[in-house]
Amino acid sequence: MRRQSCCMKLRKGLWSPEEDEKLFAHIIRFGVGCWSSVPKLAGLQRCGKSCRLRWINYLRPDLKRGSFSQEEEDLIIALHQVLGNRWSQIAGQLPGRTDNEVKNFWNSCLKKKLRQRGIDPATHKALNEPVSGEVKPNPDNSGHDNLQTKPVFFNPFPALDFQEAAEQTEGNMVLYDQFHTGLYEEYGNIVDIVPGSYAYGESSSNSSNWNCGVNGIVGNEALNWNHEIKIETLVGAQWPSVDASAARWEVNRGEFDGDFL
DNA sequence: AAAAACGACAACCGCCGACAC
DNA sequence: GGTGTCGGCGGTTGTCGTTTT
């Protein structure tokens, strides 16, 4: 007999802006502790797993979103050649990207591209070639298509320059900033966000290490974000300029002064 | 203009390992 | 050592917008 899903009697499907707001507010206020208790504490009719996924794949302030760059695309292909379908490990090398995002990109786009180049996406070898055979250069390949012979270097830090990535970012720093601004205007309190033990290059799944603390009482009335524009608009939030030992997050108002651990 | 096909992305499902008791 | 819970992961499905017929 199959085990019942943990979400049997709970709400499923797409998340509403109100649900997003509740989850985001809860995690910003209390941080991530036990996911199974998050729905109850946040007033959500969702299972903990669903909340975790929503946070990791959509609500986290450090998500990059937007289309993949050529460098990211090349890196995914190269890493897939070595790691296979270990999406979380691959995503760990791409700052601001989630395993789900990488997996979707691979399945919907990269697999097709590789086949068009005559490369088997499963083996990264030429399509007509025996599996055990020596890899030969594909005459049709050009540019970055020479991946079959391209050496792969594991960089403990992301392949993309952090600042560059930061400039490309149109992610939920916006959301964070709107939330943050709302809190400030409403209460005038100092808001500290301390992503404990979070370092770039870690898997998205490690986002459970986020420990966010907000000083002061926060009511829902302080949440004044606009769900529709949170991805489209960048409102002055800045990414940290990363120092390997201590990074400082400068939200545009400057209230935040926390350090990465 | 309507229907079908397609593509991109969000979310769910079930398995597994780690951990606590 | 056995059992239950939890979080993480990868595969798969569902949803919705866009393009094609």
Side-chain angles (χ1 to χ4, degrees):
Chain A
M1 193 172 117
R2 287 197 163 187
R3 186 176 56 171
Q4 280 197 336
S5 163
C6 68
C7 312
M8 284 303 279
K9 291 179 182 176
L10 298 171
R11 186 177 147 77
K12 291 183 185 179
L14 296 177
W15 281 64
S16 68
E18 290 75 23
E19 288 178 304
D20 280 344
E21 186 179 307
K22 282 182 181 177
L23 179 60
F24 189 83
H26 175 80
I27 293 179
I28 288 298
R29 190 175 173 191
F30 299 108
V32 174
C34 176
W35 279 113
S36 59
S37 64
V38 165
K40 191 178 178 182
L41 295 172
L44 292 163
Q45 299 296 314
R46 297 273 182 175
C47 70
K49 264 187 161 182
S50 184
C51 293
R52 175 183 162 272
L53 260 294
R54 186 61 179 173
W55 173 257
I56 288 172
N57 290 328
Y58 195 79
L59 293 176
R60 270 165 54 200
D62 61 327
L63 286 182
K64 196 170 176 181
R65 313 201 72 84
S67 56
F68 283 79
S69 67
Q70 187 61 58
E71 288 77 15
E72 288 176 304
E73 187 179 316
D74 291 345
L75 184 61
I76 291 168
I77 294 169
L79 288 169
H80 186 272
Q81 187 172 3
V82 178
L83 297 170
N85 293 352
R86 295 186 180 111
W87 304 117
S88 62
Q89 289 184 37
I90 294 172
Q93 302 297 318
L94 296 156
R97 301 295 188 184
T98 70
D99 50 3
N100 206 37
E101 205 176 3
V102 172
K103 180 171 60 182
N104 282 334
F105 183 54
W106 175 266
N107 286 328
S108 66
C109 188
L110 288 182
K111 275 168 94 170
K112 196 185 304 171
K113 277 192 181 180
L114 288 176
R115 285 200 189 97
Q116 284 171 355
R117 294 174 197 163
I119 300 170
D120 182 353
T123 62
H124 292 264
K125 297 178 188 300
L127 275 169
N128 295 329
E129 207 165 309
V131 175
S132 58
E134 188 78 16
V135 176
K136 295 172 190 166
N138 186 334
D140 292 330
N141 284 351
S142 60
H144 65 280
D145 291 355
N146 57 346
L147 290 164
Q148 290 173 343
T149 54
K150 194 175 179 179
V152 176
F153 300 100
F154 277 98
N155 186 345
F157 297 98
L160 291 178
D161 175 71
F162 188 92
Q163 197 61 41
E164 185 184 329
E167 286 163 8
Q168 294 170 1
T169 298
E170 294 187 15
N172 290 332
M173 286 300 289
V174 177
L175 189 154
Y176 164 73
D177 191 52
Q178 288 176 351
F179 179 77
H180 188 269
T181 302
L183 294 183
Y184 187 88
E185 288 172 350
E186 194 74 15
Y187 296 98
N189 284 327
I190 293 174
V191 181
D192 290 330
I193 304 294
V194 184
S197 305
Y198 185 83
Y200 272 86
E202 286 188 0
S203 162
S204 62
S205 58
N206 290 344
S207 63
S208 58
N209 289 335
W210 273 69
N211 294 309
C212 306
V214 175
N215 297 331
I217 304 300
V218 180
N220 281 341
E221 64 274 19
L223 300 172
N224 202 22
W225 73 340
N226 182 332
H227 184 69
E228 297 302 321
I229 65 169
K230 64 189 168 71
I231 299 170
E232 303 301 329
T233 324
L234 186 61
V235 193
Q238 294 178 352
W239 280 77
S241 52
V242 161
D243 178 313
S245 58
R248 195 165 294 277
W249 220 356
E250 297 174 0
V251 178
N252 64 331
R253 285 176 172 276
E255 298 94 337
F256 172 67
D257 199 27
D259 290 326
F260 283 107
L261 298 177

